[in-house]
Amino acid sequence: GNSVTQMEGPVTLSEEAFLTINCTYTATGYPSLFWYVQYPGEGLQLLLKATKADDKGSNKGFEATYRKETTSFHLEKGSVQVSDSAVYFCALSAMDSSYKLIFGSGTRLLVRP
Amino acid sequence: DADVTQTPRNRITKTGKRIMLECSQTKGHDRMYWYRQDPGLGLRLIYYSFDVKDINKGEISDGYSVSRQAQAKFSLSLESAIPNQTALYFCATSDPDGHYGYTFGSGTRLTVV
């Protein structure tokens, strides 16, 4: 079946450091890929998405590229801020699972001043 | 008003009690979902509904039931709450192929004592 694996956290960085959170997926066909962010005490918000191979999603300085050859969708940001501290979820949806979202386990990011 | 509203935000209940969590959305989507979040486990799907007459079990439906009262309303019930149902519960809605991502509520933090 379809699944998503993302790196375990927590990830602790200093402000202005470079961020990478790894995400790989298993799916038949061509899923859509998403990153969601959950700030403390809040629900999940869509951060970015990509719907086909080689697409790059971007938002708020975050980027992720849909790599079909490596089945990956790693999240990157060049310079993190304290306000980026949150839990990040990688997810996929695919036609063979009726487009239900399948989530990774989440990665907590803590950015220190 | 929020696109997806969950009530209550927090609830403490006793073992064996029946409890209902409510969700309403203003996105006009047919699809609605209930997820449960536990630390380190990401989000797991409890039930989902693709329209008012369509209800489906997710991966962890045991001990839960749902009711889709209208396109905009989808409630989750715990018939006889037990302590391992202590978790954060999220309702979400989406367009038919999830192409634009899901919209989540702010969550209900449920504690069963």
Side-chain angles (χ1 to χ4, degrees):
Chain A
N2 300 334
S3 66
V4 175
T5 302
Q6 59 183 108
M7 62 189 290
E8 290 191 19
V11 173
T12 303
L13 296 173
S14 298
E15 204 165 24
E16 299 184 0
F18 184 86
L19 168 70
T20 300
I21 299 178
N22 291 336
C23 171
T24 57
Y25 67 89
T26 300
T28 54
Y30 301 92
S32 294
L33 301 173
F34 304 85
W35 277 101
Y36 283 82
V37 58
Q38 183 182 28
Y39 297 105
E42 299 184 12
L44 279 72
Q45 303 173 26
L46 179 63
L47 180 60
L48 54 83
K49 67 182 177 83
T51 57
K52 61 183 187 295
D54 300 325
D55 267 1
K56 178 184 285 187
S58 61
N59 187 24
K60 300 182 180 181
F62 291 89
E63 294 182 338
T65 300
Y66 188 145
R67 301 285 189 200
K68 188 162 179 62
E69 64 274 15
T70 55
T71 62
S72 65
F73 192 55
H74 305 321
L75 182 68
E76 296 182 335
K77 187 175 185 184
S79 176
V80 293
Q81 306 300 312
V82 172
S83 57
D84 293 326
S85 297
V87 181
Y88 293 82
F89 292 93
C90 186
L92 70 80
S93 71
M95 186 171 67
D96 65 347
S97 56
S98 302
Y99 299 110
K100 299 190 300 294
L101 266 184
I102 297 170
F103 288 92
S105 57
T107 302
R108 181 175 299 278
L109 170 66
L110 178 61
V111 181
R112 301 191 184 282
Chain B
D1 287 346
D3 292 328
V4 180
T5 301
Q6 291 184 235
T7 56
R9 288 297 308 272
N10 292 282
R11 180 73 180 267
I12 301 173
T13 192
K14 293 184 178 180
T15 298
K17 292 291 188 180
R18 184 180 190 276
I19 182 170
M20 178 182 289
L21 310 183
E22 299 190 356
C23 176
S24 63
Q25 53 102 353
T26 58
K27 299 286 287 185
H29 293 324
D30 287 325
R31 294 190 167 204
M32 296 187 74
Y33 312 83
W34 276 103
Y35 284 90
R36 167 177 170 160
Q37 183 180 20
D38 297 279
L41 294 177
L43 277 77
R44 294 180 291 168
L45 184 62
I46 307 172
Y47 269 95
Y48 59 102
S49 171
F50 286 170
D51 66 41
V52 175
K53 296 182 180 180
D54 177 77
I55 302 289
N56 303 281
K57 293 182 177 180
E59 57 182 309
I60 55 162
S61 59
D62 287 350
Y64 303 94
S65 63
V66 291
S67 173
R68 185 79 184 268
Q69 300 94 329
Q71 185 200 41
K73 295 184 181 294
F74 191 38
S75 60
L76 175 72
S77 293
L78 286 67
E79 297 300 326
S80 179
I82 56 177
N84 76 359
Q85 292 177 313
T86 294
L88 190 52
Y89 291 85
F90 287 103
C91 176
T93 187
S94 77
D95 58 295
D97 60 7
H99 190 75
Y100 298 100
Y102 285 25
T103 302
F104 284 83
S106 298
T108 294
R109 183 167 297 281
L110 177 66
T111 303
V112 183
V113 298

